[in-house]
């Protein structure tokens, strides 16, 4: 029983206060006497469709049929039948006479005739879309006739509407009735409201009201005729005027013509069942129907079928109607990825379709799914996300990256797969600008400090490249503590030539962040020794860097002599070209796509540089100035004559093949018996000797630093998680007491603080007897050792 509202509102009934929906503008056409309005929900503003039917009194025949339609629409549920949301009936007074209006609220839809004009499809794409739509309506009619034993009674173009996802749905249930074929002797009327159906849509038996013949006919006979009428109106582009027009088959596709003729058979018993039309019609076998059908039953497919389908989908999507792909396929694909029924190759198809959307639509339809996928534990999904992050990374907001994306991406830094570690490293070029300073200093830099001693030389190289590129996103204090230590102590002393070259270029590109004393005492001494490096490309970069930094120092000197200004002006002027050089080099390297085995060039100072690793720790790196160099794993490096890392006396510790010995993260481990190393070449021996020779510093500072060293050594003996690089640490000299040194050594927020270079001295420190070149170190002495000291006062 419907509720009658007595309130008078505006006379027209379209301003109902009790209806929880706002009524908008009407569409030009609707079925029968109904009016189809656009509408929105008063609660959340979501779009809806509102159908209204008015009558002069409550006993009007149209109103009685409308009530039947409301009842049927509420109770019959099917994916291809219009979804019912709400209904009400009002009685209003209009000029002294009563007026009854029925309202039905449904999901937002548009009349099929209007949607066809809006899409404007032609040729093959039009036929494919019509085939998909007719396939859906045929399923709805088959459900009513075969499963529910109901007769719709008026299937035509006006009784079909289209959803926002371009699905076709059947409505206009005013004439809907049960098929009463059991009582063949009954002469009563089966379709009570058949008078609402236009004569041009009625088959012969219905036009003659031959109810006995109708009862003897199959349940689908009347609606199969209606399907024929729908097909004619769809392809001819005009409404059916009279029944004789159905014989004009010029516009009907040849593949559909035999089925069309069987649907309109003059004998009801010989009319084609719509279920057979779905199964056997050649017309429904096309790419669009097959693709959507596969997506709808995706959960029933095995992994091989899914993988094959999604690898073909990006190319297939370009051949399908663009609007259908974006409004129908894209939501299906996003839902399949979000709920785990799709495999990793589906992400490529999702991003391909998403690239056809506007920025606003992409943020609404695609980004939420991608953000959820970052939490997936499926390794192929994680790899696919990182490989394509350049396609959607810029669209992610800083808050989403910092709070939802980065915590999941960061797990890749410690993954056992070298390929995944490298992809995670490269992804930081896109994500780092959106991270907060707290996340960069407290998390990202600690991961990078470990990757700079990774077992894969290509990862170590790319870590240096990344540090050079994200230097501008670090605050000034972090740059002072991190950059020089990471580039000079780690990168310039790496045994992998491209890593040393990357360190030189990173220093050159970030030259604007260093003051003159740092350049003169910490950068130039470390770069100059590489001018005699065994690798020609490293030597070339070293000479260029030396010239650049000497030019910076000279500019500062000239400025101070002429205008008495600081050296900052000179540094900023001369560093512009270096910054631009590294930006192009690292950008091209970190966004390069390809398989792990692809080759990647190591560029000179004016070109791009990349060292790429793979899951099996092997790839090829081409050096422009030399023959191709093969990136080897740790075991590979041990088989060739590579120069060992220099062993210094300033607390850096031993490095084997450029990789830090993490298990010896305690001060004093360098007093143990070192492993025998291959005898270096004369050229490399000179470099090692130069790197072992400390820069001179004032005598007072040298004495003070030497007296403080035992205290800091005791403090540095702690868990490696608290001091990531403690094993190769040398405390920074201070002019204050020893307590100040301890506070520096315990700085958990600065992974590079432990390897800070000592302040310059004016007196060269002689090599230790046990550290001299060619002298075998003495056996380690365990336990506490007494230190003999002489005093002039004794």
């Amino acid at each position: 029983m419907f509720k009658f509202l007595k309130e008078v509102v505006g006379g027209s009934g379209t301003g109902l206060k009790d209806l929880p929906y706002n009524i908008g503008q009407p569409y030009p056409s609707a079925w029968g006497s109904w009016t189809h309005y656009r509408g929105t929900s008063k609660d959340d503003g979501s779009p809806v469709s509102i159908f209204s039917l008015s009558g002069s009194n409550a006993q009007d025949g149209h109103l009685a049929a409308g009530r039947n339609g409301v009842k049927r629409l509420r109770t019959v549920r099917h994916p291809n039948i219009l979804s019912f949301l709400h209904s009400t009936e009002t009685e209003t007074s209009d000029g002294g006479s009563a007026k009854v209006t029925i309202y039905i609220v449904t999901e937002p839809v548009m009349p099929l005739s209007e949607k066809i004009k809006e899409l404007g499809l032609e040729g093959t794409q039009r036929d494919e879309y019509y085939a998909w739509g007719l396939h859906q309506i045929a399923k709805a009619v088959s459900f009513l006739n075969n499963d529910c034993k109901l007769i719709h009674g008026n299937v035509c173009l006006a009784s079909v509407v289209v959803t926002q996802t371009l699905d076709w749905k059947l409505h206009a249930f005013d004439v809907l009735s049960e098929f009463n074929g059991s009582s063949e002797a009954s002469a009563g009327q089966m379709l009570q409201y058949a008078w609402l159906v236009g004569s041009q849509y009625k088959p012969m038996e219905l036009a003659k009201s031959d109810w006995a013949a109708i009862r003897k006919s199959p349940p689908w006979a009347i609606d199969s005729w209606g399907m024929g009428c729908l097909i004619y109106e769809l392809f001819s582009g005009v409404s059916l005027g009279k029944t004789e027009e159905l014989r004009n088959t010029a516009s009907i596709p040849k593949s559909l013509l035999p089925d069309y003729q069987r649907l309109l058979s003059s004998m009801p018993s010989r009319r084609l069942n719509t279920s057979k039309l779905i199964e056997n019609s050649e017309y429904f076998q096309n790419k669009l129907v097959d693709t959507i059908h596969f997506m709808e039953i995706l959960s029933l497919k095995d992994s091989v079928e899914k993988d094959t389908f999604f690898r073909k989908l990006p190319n297939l999507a370009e051949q399908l109607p663009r609007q259908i792909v974006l409004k129908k396929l894209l939501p299906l694909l996003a839902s399949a990825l979000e709920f785990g029924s799709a495999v990793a190759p589906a992400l490529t198809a999702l991003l391909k379709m998403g690239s056809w959307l506007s920025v606003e639509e992409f943020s609404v339809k695609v980004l939420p799914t991608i953000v959820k996928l970052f939490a997936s534990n499926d390794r192929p999904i994680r790899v696919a996300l990182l490989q394509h992050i350049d396609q959607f990374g810029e669209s992610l907001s800083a808050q989403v990256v910092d709070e939802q994306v980065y915590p999941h991406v960061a797990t890749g830094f410690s993954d056992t797969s070298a390929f995944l570690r490298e992809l995670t490293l490269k992804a930081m070029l896109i994500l780092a600008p959106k991270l907060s300073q707290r996340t960069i200093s407290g998390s990202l830099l600690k991961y990078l400090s470990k990757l700079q001693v990774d077992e894969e030389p290509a990862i170590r190289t790319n870590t240096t490249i990344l540090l050079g590129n994200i230097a501008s996103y670090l605050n000034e204090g972090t740059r002072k503590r991190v950059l020089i230590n990471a580039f000079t102590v780690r990168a310039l002393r790496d045994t992998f030539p491209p890593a040393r070259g990357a360190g030189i270029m990173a220093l050159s590109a970030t030259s604007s962040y260093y003051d003159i004393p740092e350049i003169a005492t910490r950068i130039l001494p470390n770069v100059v020794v590489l001018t005699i490096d065994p690798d020609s490309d490293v030597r070339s970069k070293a000479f260029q860097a030396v010239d650049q930094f000497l030019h910076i120092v000279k500019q500062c000197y000239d400025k101070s002599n002429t205008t008495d200004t600081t050296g900052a002006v000179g540094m900023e002027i001369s560093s512009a070209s270096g910054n631009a050089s590294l930006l192009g080099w690292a950008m091209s390297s970190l966004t390069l796509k390809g398989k792990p085995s692809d080759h990647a060039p190591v560029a000179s100072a004016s070109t791009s540089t990349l060292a790429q690793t793979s899951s099996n720790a092997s790839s090829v790196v081409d050096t422009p100035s030399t023959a191709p160099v093969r990136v080897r794993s740790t075991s590979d490096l041990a088989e060739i004559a590579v120069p060992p890392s220099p062993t210094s006396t300033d607390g850096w510790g031993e490095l084997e093949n450029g990789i830090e010995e993490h298990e010896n993260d305690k001060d004093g481990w360098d007093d143990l018996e070192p492993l025998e190393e291959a005898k270096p070449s004369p050229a490399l021996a000179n470099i090692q000797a130069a790197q072992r020779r400390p820069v001179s510093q004032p005598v007072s500072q040298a004495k003070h630093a030497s007296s403080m060293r035992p205290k800091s050594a005791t403090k540095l003996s702690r868990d490696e998680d608290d001091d990531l690089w403690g094993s190769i640490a040398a405390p920074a000299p201070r002019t204050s007491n020893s307590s100040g040194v301890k506070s520096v050594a315990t700085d958990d927020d600065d992974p590079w603080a432990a390897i800070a270079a000592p302040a310059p001295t004016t007196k060269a420190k002689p090599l230790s007897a046990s550290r001299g070149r060619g002298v075998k170190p003495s056996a380690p002495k365990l336990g506490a050792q007494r230190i003999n000291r002489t005093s002039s006062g004794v």
Side-chain angles (χ1 to χ4, degrees):
M1 180 66 76
F2 294 99
K3 180 180 179 181
F4 288 84
L5 303 177
K6 301 296 185 180
E7 184 175 3
V8 177
V9 181
S12 64
T14 58
L16 290 172
K17 293 182 178 179
D18 292 343
L19 188 68
Y21 299 93
N22 297 313
I23 300 177
Q25 296 297 319
Y27 287 101
S29 62
W31 181 86
S33 301
W34 290 86
T35 304
H36 184 181
Y37 294 93
R38 301 172 180 87
T40 57
S41 171
K42 292 181 179 179
D43 295 333
D44 55 8
S46 57
V48 295
S49 281
I50 301 175
F51 297 86
S52 69
L53 177 65
S54 299
S56 58
N57 59 75
Q59 305 304 320
D60 189 290
H62 288 86
L63 292 178
R67 296 186 186 103
N68 177 66
V70 172
K71 180 183 70 173
R72 298 295 186 177
L73 193 62
R74 179 190 287 114
T75 55
V76 178
R77 299 285 181 172
H78 187 269
N80 302 119
I81 292 178
L82 186 61
S83 298
F84 174 89
L85 297 179
H86 183 81
S87 68
T88 188
E89 185 172 336
T90 65
E91 183 177 346
T92 60
S93 177
D94 188 6
S97 61
K99 183 179 181 181
V100 179
T101 306
I102 299 174
Y103 293 95
I104 305 177
V105 183
T106 68
E107 62 181 315
V109 289
M110 177 185 290
L112 176 59
S113 57
E114 301 298 322
K115 178 58 70 173
I116 290 175
K117 295 177 183 177
E118 180 182 293
L119 293 176
L121 298 176
E122 296 180 356
T124 304
Q125 291 190 346
R126 186 202 71 163
D127 290 343
E128 287 181 345
Y129 180 57
Y130 285 0
W132 169 245
L134 289 173
H135 187 270
Q136 292 180 302
I137 298 302
K139 287 195 294 184
V141 173
S142 176
F143 171 74
L144 293 175
N145 298 159
N146 300 303
D147 298 335
C148 303
K149 303 301 180 184
L150 297 172
I151 300 176
H152 183 277
N154 192 21
V155 178
C156 60
L157 190 70
S159 63
V160 179
V161 289
V162 184
T163 66
Q164 292 179 326
T165 57
L166 300 184
D167 289 312
W168 291 18
K169 295 201 173 185
L170 186 65
H171 80 125
F173 283 4
D174 294 20
V175 187
L176 189 71
S177 301
E178 288 85 359
F179 177 75
N180 188 14
S182 58
S183 57
E184 296 180 3
S186 176
Q189 184 174 350
M190 182 183 297
L191 300 179
Q192 182 180 0
Y193 304 106
W195 55 271
L196 288 172
V197 181
S199 59
Q200 70 271 29
Y201 295 112
K202 291 181 179 179
M204 187 64 65
E205 66 275 15
L206 183 59
K208 294 180 178 180
S209 300
D210 189 354
W211 301 113
I214 293 175
R215 287 186 171 88
K216 293 179 182 179
S217 304
W220 60 81
I222 295 178
D223 287 340
S224 291
W225 181 278
M227 279 295 298
C229 297
L230 171 61
I231 292 173
Y232 173 82
E233 291 184 315
L234 187 63
F235 288 98
S236 66
V238 296
S239 299
L240 183 63
K242 53 185 178 179
T243 306
E244 288 75 15
E245 293 177 359
L246 294 172
R247 296 178 181 177
N248 184 7
T249 61
S251 60
I252 308 300
K254 292 182 179 180
S255 58
L256 186 60
L257 184 58
D259 297 319
Y260 171 76
Q261 292 172 336
R262 292 181 63 189
L263 287 170
L264 297 174
S265 174
S266 59
M267 297 180 62
S269 60
R270 299 184 61 180
R271 289 177 191 153
L272 181 64
N273 189 343
T274 50
S275 64
K276 299 298 182 182
L277 176 68
I278 298 170
E279 296 172 2
N280 304 325
S281 178
E282 179 185 348
Y283 181 70
F284 294 132
Q285 298 175 7
N286 61 56
K287 291 178 292 188
L288 179 62
V289 174
D290 293 342
T291 300
I292 297 178
H293 181 67
F294 188 98
M295 289 295 301
E296 290 181 338
I297 60 172
L298 186 63
S299 58
L300 304 179
K301 302 295 183 179
D302 59 36
S303 58
V304 176
E305 291 176 310
K306 291 179 182 179
D307 188 77
T308 303
F309 172 78
F310 286 119
R311 290 188 186 279
K312 295 179 180 179
L313 187 56
N315 293 331
L316 183 61
E318 294 183 347
Q319 305 171 24
L320 301 177
R322 183 62 53 87
Q323 290 295 324
I324 302 173
V325 170
L326 296 180
K327 295 184 177 181
K328 178 64 180 178
L329 277 182
L330 182 61
L332 286 175
L333 188 57
S335 178
L337 277 167
E338 186 174 340
F339 295 103
S341 57
V343 293
L347 184 62
T348 304
L350 179 71
L351 294 174
K352 179 68 173 291
M353 297 176 188
S355 65
W356 300 332
L357 296 171
S358 64
V359 176
E360 295 76 13
E361 289 178 320
F362 184 85
S363 300
V364 173
K365 296 181 178 181
V366 178
L367 276 187
T369 299
I370 291 177
V371 171
K372 292 179 182 178
L373 288 179
F374 275 104
S376 173
N377 293 325
D378 186 1
R379 187 183 294 267
I381 290 289
R382 294 170 59 196
V383 170
L385 285 170
L386 296 175
Q387 286 178 325
H388 298 92
I389 197 168
D390 58 315
Q391 299 181 29
F392 60 84
E394 296 298 333
S395 302
L396 296 170
S397 66
Q399 182 178 3
V400 169
V401 170
D402 199 53
E403 298 177 359
Q404 301 181 47
V405 175
Y406 175 78
H408 298 294
V409 174
T411 60
F413 285 123
S414 54
D415 197 275
T416 56
S417 170
F419 183 51
L420 191 55
R421 292 200 304 274
E422 185 187 38
L423 288 176
T424 305
L425 181 68
K426 293 178 179 180
M428 288 302 109
L429 185 63
I430 305 295
L431 301 181
K434 301 176 182 292
L435 295 177
S436 63
Q437 284 298 320
R438 180 177 180 180
T439 302
I440 292 177
S441 302
S443 176
L444 177 59
L445 291 182
K446 291 188 177 182
Y447 283 120
L448 296 184
S449 70
K450 291 185 178 181
L451 287 183
Q452 218 180 8
V453 290
D454 192 271
E455 62 182 5
E456 294 298 331
I459 292 182
R460 301 199 300 271
T461 304
N462 284 333
T463 303
T464 302
I465 293 173
L466 178 64
L467 277 171
N469 276 274
I470 67 173
S472 59
Y473 306 118
L474 308 178
N475 58 46
E476 184 178 358
T478 303
R479 284 197 294 260
K480 291 289 185 182
R481 295 192 302 266
V482 169
L483 295 185
I484 294 183
N485 293 329
F487 296 153
T488 60
V489 178
R490 284 282 171 81
L492 297 188
R493 300 187 180 189
D494 200 299
T495 56
F496 188 53
R500 298 197 295 274
I504 296 173
M505 293 187 66
L507 283 170
S508 299
T510 56
S511 58
S512 61
Y513 302 128
Y514 313 128
D515 54 30
I516 295 302
E518 288 176 328
I519 293 175
T521 62
R522 301 183 64 186
I523 296 178
L524 280 174
N526 284 282
V527 176
V528 166
V529 296
L530 295 181
T531 57
I532 56 172
D533 191 272
D535 186 83
S536 61
D537 189 56
V538 174
R539 294 196 301 270
S540 175
K541 291 182 174 66
F543 278 113
Q544 294 175 6
V546 168
D547 291 341
Q548 177 182 348
F549 284 110
L550 285 178
H551 182 65
I552 293 174
V553 176
K554 186 175 184 301
Q555 278 188 326
C556 178
Y557 175 77
D558 294 340
K559 289 286 184 180
S560 63
N561 286 346
T562 56
T563 61
D564 196 27
T565 61
T566 61
V569 176
M571 288 188 293
E572 293 176 358
I573 295 174
S574 61
S575 62
S577 61
N579 285 331
S581 172
L582 184 68
L583 181 61
W585 152 66
M587 281 292 291
S588 62
S589 66
L590 295 179
T591 59
L592 183 65
K593 301 183 183 67
K595 297 180 180 178
S597 59
D598 290 345
H599 294 186
V602 176
S604 61
S606 60
T607 59
S608 65
T609 299
L610 169 65
Q612 180 164 343
T613 188
S614 64
S615 56
N616 59 2
S618 65
S619 61
V620 176
V621 178
D622 296 336
T623 305
S625 59
T626 61
V629 179
R630 187 173 185 269
V631 180
R632 293 177 168 84
S633 63
T634 306
S635 58
D636 295 332
L637 292 174
E639 298 173 2
I640 62 175
V642 294
S645 298
T647 304
S648 64
T649 58
D650 56 4
W652 303 123
E654 312 287 335
L655 293 176
E656 180 65 19
N657 287 340
I659 303 171
E660 182 179 358
E661 297 291 327
H662 289 285
E663 63 272 14
N664 296 325
D665 280 352
K666 293 184 179 180
D667 196 301
W669 64 276
D670 53 347
D671 291 332
L672 299 179
E673 181 73 15
L675 297 175
E676 292 292 339
E677 296 181 343
K679 185 176 180 181
S681 62
L684 187 60
N686 292 336
I687 296 177
Q688 293 175 347
Q691 289 179 328
R692 285 196 294 265
R693 189 177 304 120
V695 182
S696 60
Q697 69 177 22
V699 178
S700 59
Q701 293 185 17
K703 291 182 179 180
H704 184 66
S706 62
S707 63
M708 291 166 56
R709 197 162 287 155
K711 296 181 181 180
S712 63
T714 303
K715 186 64 180 178
L716 287 174
S717 180
R718 57 199 175 116
D719 188 84
E720 67 173 347
D721 290 336
D722 295 332
D723 186 2
L724 299 179
W725 291 357
S727 61
I728 59 171
R734 298 285 187 182
T735 56
S736 60
N737 55 23
S738 59
S739 62
V741 178
K742 294 182 180 181
S743 64
V744 174
T746 57
D747 187 5
D748 292 337
D749 296 330
D750 183 12
W752 278 272
I755 61 169
T761 61
T762 57
K763 181 177 180 181
K765 184 178 179 181
L767 295 174
S768 173
S770 61
R771 296 283 183 171
R773 190 187 316 159
V775 179
K776 183 178 180 180
S778 59
K781 297 180 182 181
L782 304 179
Q785 303 295 325
R786 180 177 179 183
I787 301 176
N788 294 324
R789 301 183 183 274
T790 59
S791 175
S792 59
V794 179

